[in-house]
Amino acid sequence: WRLLDEHERQVLRRLSVFEGGFQRDAAERVAGLSLSELAGLMDKSLILRVDEGRYSLHDLVHKYGFVRLKENPEEMLATLDRHCRYYGDLLQPFVYRLKGRTQAELQAMIAAEIDNLRQAWDWAIKNKRTREIQLLSQGFTWFYELRGWYQEGLAVFKQAVNTLSSLESTAESMDRADKLSLAAVLVGYGWFLNRHGRNSPAKEYFLRGLSLLRGGENPESLANVLRFIGMLDL
């Protein structure tokens, strides 16, 4: 550690927020890692290539880097924020494509990044990052549905509902982004309750989501939740 220059130490600290490896673009956006620095840290065996275009830190380096990152809370928060934004942005273009012809390719990409996406989701929920909650919740719902990961879907959305449900009491004064993010987690939780055969509570959560979407700010989400309610009423 002492033999590294300050920027190399900074990069390794920031890379420690990744879980399950990272792509070079992610390392550049989140940790400020340049191509030459990547090559240099690989030469020093501090960054490992695990696949074409994918890298990781040795477990001990990863843990040590995070210990160092926690020594600077401001840097840690800023890095985790960038990580959360990056993975929200990464998933956003794929939400609709997950339903189309490129499902297998996209599912493989999401599966490779699932640990980073889980981390981004936890950070978004904990810190009420409404934009990222909306983007990640849509992607998670479709991915878990396509993979049949209903148990994890239920747990992930239950955690989100428990954290965000206190916002419901102030629904009248909530801004558009807050309403849409809360509606997304309520409807997502309802979906996986339904997948577990718990139709009565599923409908309750669909209706709670519907009450937040009736303003028409997101017609597609409104149409989806009405469709879900209709499925339960058949």
Side-chain angles (χ1 to χ4, degrees):
W1 187 260
R2 289 193 301 269
L3 293 174
L4 301 176
D5 65 38
E6 176 50 36
H7 188 65
E8 288 175 321
R9 291 195 291 268
Q10 181 187 70
V11 164
L12 281 178
R13 288 196 304 268
R14 294 175 178 180
L15 288 174
S16 71
V17 302
F18 289 101
E19 296 291 341
F22 50 86
Q23 297 280 358
R24 192 175 74 80
D25 179 65
E28 181 180 353
R29 293 266 301 277
V30 175
L33 178 69
S34 70
L35 185 58
S36 61
E37 287 164 341
L38 172 64
L41 290 169
M42 287 179 67
D43 286 344
K44 296 172 183 176
S45 300
L46 293 170
I47 293 179
L48 311 173
R49 186 196 297 271
V50 294
D51 203 350
E52 184 63 34
R54 192 164 187 83
Y55 305 87
S56 71
L57 302 179
H58 185 282
D59 190 49
L60 288 176
V61 176
H62 184 270
K63 289 176 179 176
Y64 186 76
F66 196 67
V67 168
R68 288 291 189 170
L69 184 64
K70 288 193 292 185
E71 292 172 355
N72 187 334
E74 186 175 328
E75 182 184 13
M76 183 176 73
L77 294 177
T79 305
L80 285 166
D81 263 345
R82 287 194 298 274
H83 180 277
C84 183
R85 287 197 302 273
Y86 178 84
Y87 284 99
D89 289 342
L90 180 72
L91 210 52
Q92 193 271 337
F94 300 134
V95 170
Y96 300 107
R97 290 170 59 193
L98 275 169
K99 309 172 196 178
R101 299 177 187 172
T102 54
Q103 275 189 17
E105 174 192 342
L106 296 173
Q107 284 188 62
M109 184 277 292
I110 293 174
E113 296 289 3
I114 193 64
D115 290 331
N116 281 310
L117 290 164
R118 287 172 179 142
Q119 164 125 319
W121 174 262
D122 288 343
W123 184 255
I125 295 298
K126 179 182 176 182
N127 294 279
K128 298 180 173 62
R129 299 291 194 259
T130 54
R131 176 181 173 275
E132 282 72 30
I133 290 169
Q134 289 177 61
L135 296 175
L136 291 164
S137 64
Q138 293 177 71
F140 270 153
T141 300
W142 281 106
F143 180 68
Y144 289 147
E145 172 67 20
L146 291 168
R147 285 292 175 103
W149 292 7
Y150 301 146
Q151 191 62 43
E152 181 169 337
L154 189 69
V156 160
F157 281 94
K158 182 178 182 180
Q159 168 216 5
V161 167
N162 289 342
T163 302
L164 299 178
S165 58
S166 61
L167 296 174
E168 265 187 290
S169 61
T170 60
E172 291 301 320
S173 58
M174 286 166 61
D175 64 23
R176 176 180 181 272
D178 285 340
K179 285 184 178 180
L180 292 177
S181 61
L182 179 55
V185 299
L186 291 169
V187 173
Y189 187 46
W191 179 261
F192 290 107
L193 284 168
N194 168 246
R195 283 311 201 212
H196 281 78
R198 298 165 62 185
N199 292 347
S200 181
K203 186 172 182 179
E204 174 196 335
Y205 281 95
F206 288 155
L207 290 171
R208 285 165 64 179
L210 178 63
S211 69
L212 296 167
L213 294 168
R214 283 203 179 279
E217 292 92 345
N218 191 319
E220 183 186 4
S221 294
L222 178 60
N224 281 336
V225 73
L226 288 170
R227 181 165 57 87
F228 300 158
I229 292 168
M231 288 165 50
L232 294 180
D233 287 340
L234 288 176

